[in-house]
Amino acid sequence: MPGYTATKQDHAVRLRRIEGQIRGLQRMVEDDKYCIDILTQVSAATSALRSFSLSLLEEHLAHCVAEATLKGGPEAAAKVKEASDAIARVVRS
């Protein structure tokens, strides 16, 4: 079971909100809104996605990685590497 199962509904709500932000950006472009206003909204949507990814990453570390490290062995090393790679992707974005 994924680590986010307990908060799945909260995540779905956050993602729908982000989806609404993206749709708002589409409308802004269609309505020829001012570039700076669009960029401000892009920044807000980017921040919302980053916040979501960090929350999901935190749950992954607390559940999947922690569980694997308790078991030890190659699975633990693989989970830590996987998490490290995910952190690197989030940081680069």
Side-chain angles (χ1 to χ4, degrees):
M1 231 199 284
Y4 62 84
T5 300
T7 56
K8 187 175 179 177
Q9 188 61 34
D10 293 337
H11 288 316
V13 168
R14 287 178 81 176
L15 288 170
R16 281 193 294 274
R17 191 174 308 124
I18 293 167
E19 180 182 23
Q21 287 178 296
I22 302 304
R23 285 190 181 147
L25 282 165
Q26 290 173 321
R27 279 191 305 275
M28 290 177 82
V29 170
E30 290 167 0
D31 294 343
D32 296 318
K33 296 296 182 183
Y34 186 55
C35 298
I36 298 301
D37 294 338
I38 296 171
L39 289 169
T40 299
Q41 291 307 310
V42 167
S43 178
T46 301
S47 178
L49 275 172
R50 186 174 296 112
S51 176
F52 171 76
S53 66
L54 290 172
S55 173
L56 196 60
L57 182 59
E58 182 179 338
E59 289 174 336
H60 179 69
L61 291 170
H63 179 263
C64 301
V65 176
E67 187 176 292
T69 56
L70 286 175
K71 291 178 184 175
E75 182 183 346
K79 289 288 184 189
V80 169
K81 171 77 169 105
E82 180 183 65
S84 178
D85 291 345
I87 291 166
R89 285 191 301 275
V90 169
V91 169
R92 281 193 300 261
S93 65

